[in-house]
Amino acid sequence: MDYRHEARKYLKRAENELGTFDDDRLKYVVLELRMAMEALTYDRAQAFKDEFPPSEYETWQPRKVMTILLDIDPTADCDATYSIGREKEYGVRPEKMESLGTEKILNMETIRKHYDALGSYLHVPTLKQVRSNKAHDYNKIRLRCEEIATAVKHVLSSPIFNVTLGSFASLPCMECGKPMRKRMPHGKNEVPAQCYECGASYVIIDKGNRQVEWKPLQHEIPCGNNSCDHKIVIWHHELEAGKSWTCPACNGRNTFCLGVRHEAELQD
Ligand SMILES: [Zn+2]
Ligand SMILES: [Zn+2]
């Protein structure tokens, strides 16, 4: 699927509808722009297809897709300018660099600011909203649509797109088996990672030589029964007051609790 091409079509239709200056047609502008935002986010996701296969997000909305992309690469929604040059000396930045252009990306801020708001325009105002004069303000909708159309146009006019650079770590989650991937930011030795499926958390440690270690964040918890020495291992995110388990050794029940222990005042 060429999402960029699709996004262009949505934008064109949105612009045509905006051009009619007919308030009753604004809902179509809203629809087209929402679809343009979706197409651009899926387009961005395709650049990460090795780490984030389309089958995983085919039913998701842009914000969720972008959240995962940002988790894989914190710079996934940043504009970037790329330049190349021949090094005269190995590892030394050349004096002459040739710019390849700047990539504009539909960033999380734009998605957050506009996507859900657009959705709200697609409903008939409730009676309460009408009574309190909070029905659709067409001028406001039009301004918002123009702002989004401009942002989408900028993204679509980038001379280069979907460049991703970086080194990765990937691993099936030890708890649920879902693939997890994480970019190792340049110059960082430790990166926290969390499985977005089950919540299991890890620390990825750079061991050098392109090797990383995924350290699960787990705790060993002894059974609360003093005459039992069984221990269970739990994930950090499972450590929560009220959670309980049956000890497989003594069959007793253990519950995490937050407590205050009181000792009465000493009387003499
Ligand atoms: Zn998991
Ligand atoms: Zn026990």
Side-chain angles (χ1 to χ4, degrees):
M1 179 74 135
D2 184 349
Y3 284 115
R4 259 186 122 69
H5 182 66
E6 294 299 308
R8 247 185 212 107
K9 289 201 287 195
Y10 296 132
L11 176 66
K12 182 102 193 50
R13 285 200 287 259
E15 285 176 335
N16 288 345
E17 293 288 357
L18 268 175
T20 64
F21 294 98
D22 180 350
D23 288 345
D24 284 333
R25 304 212 57 87
L26 274 176
K27 51 182 170 295
Y28 304 114
V29 181
V30 164
L31 264 178
E32 300 288 356
L33 287 177
R34 249 168 86 104
M35 287 164 103
M37 290 175 93
E38 285 164 11
L40 284 178
T41 309
Y42 298 145
D43 179 61
R44 185 69 186 141
Q46 280 186 334
F48 292 82
K49 62 181 183 306
D50 295 334
E51 309 143 89
F52 187 31
S55 59
E56 285 184 35
Y57 59 82
E58 49 192 15
T59 60
W60 294 5
Q61 295 209 320
R63 191 204 296 241
K64 189 164 171 195
V65 173
M66 191 50 91
T67 304
I68 302 293
L69 296 184
L70 287 174
D71 193 47
I72 297 171
D73 176 3
T75 65
D77 78 334
C78 298
D79 296 345
T81 302
Y82 300 94
S83 315
I84 49 168
R86 190 185 292 276
E87 288 180 352
K88 277 197 188 123
E89 206 179 314
Y90 180 72
V92 178
R93 188 189 156 97
E95 277 168 35
K96 234 180 96 190
M97 296 286 280
E98 199 176 332
S99 174
L100 298 175
T102 297
E103 173 173 22
K104 291 276 301 173
I105 291 168
L106 188 71
N107 56 32
M108 190 62 151
E109 198 193 321
T110 310
I111 296 173
R112 242 189 226 133
K113 188 167 161 203
H114 297 302
Y115 187 78
D116 293 339
L118 281 182
S120 70
Y121 298 147
L122 294 174
H123 303 283
V124 175
T126 61
L127 286 175
K128 193 174 167 205
Q129 285 169 326
V130 173
R131 252 203 323 269
S132 55
N133 251 340
K134 286 210 180 104
H136 297 328
D137 174 343
Y138 288 116
N139 278 334
K140 227 170 106 190
I141 303 177
R142 181 173 296 277
L143 281 176
R144 187 187 284 275
C145 286
E146 283 167 357
E147 197 183 323
I148 301 168
T150 306
V152 168
K153 204 174 189 161
H154 273 142
V155 174
L156 285 171
S157 60
S158 296
I160 46 171
F161 50 89
N162 286 343
V163 181
T164 67
L165 305 166
S167 44
F168 304 91
S170 69
L171 182 92
C173 174
M174 295 173 196
E175 179 70 14
C176 71
K178 277 266 167 182
M180 304 178 53
R181 328 104 187 132
K182 191 88 184 176
R183 269 180 205 232
M184 295 297 292
H186 191 69
K188 272 215 166 160
N189 293 329
E190 280 197 20
V191 185
Q194 191 168 35
C195 172
Y196 62 86
E197 196 63 33
C198 73
S201 42
Y202 302 82
V203 179
I204 311 172
I205 301 159
D206 189 350
K207 295 270 170 195
N209 262 335
R210 306 182 61 83
Q211 296 291 313
V212 292
E213 181 197 346
W214 288 70
K215 199 168 122 199
L217 282 179
Q218 294 176 320
H219 305 280
E220 204 180 49
I221 313 283
C223 175
N225 176 354
N226 284 338
S227 52
C228 172
D229 55 7
H230 191 267
K231 290 183 176 122
I232 59 160
V233 174
I234 63 158
W235 288 92
H236 184 69
H237 73 278
E238 295 174 311
L239 190 62
E240 199 184 298
K243 282 223 168 179
S244 58
W245 73 100
T246 303
C247 173
C250 69
N251 284 322
R253 194 152 184 80
N254 292 304
T255 305
F256 288 118
C257 35
L258 264 180
V260 175
R261 193 182 62 193
H262 176 76
E263 279 158 20
E265 186 187 5
L266 283 174
Q267 308 278 341
D268 41 30

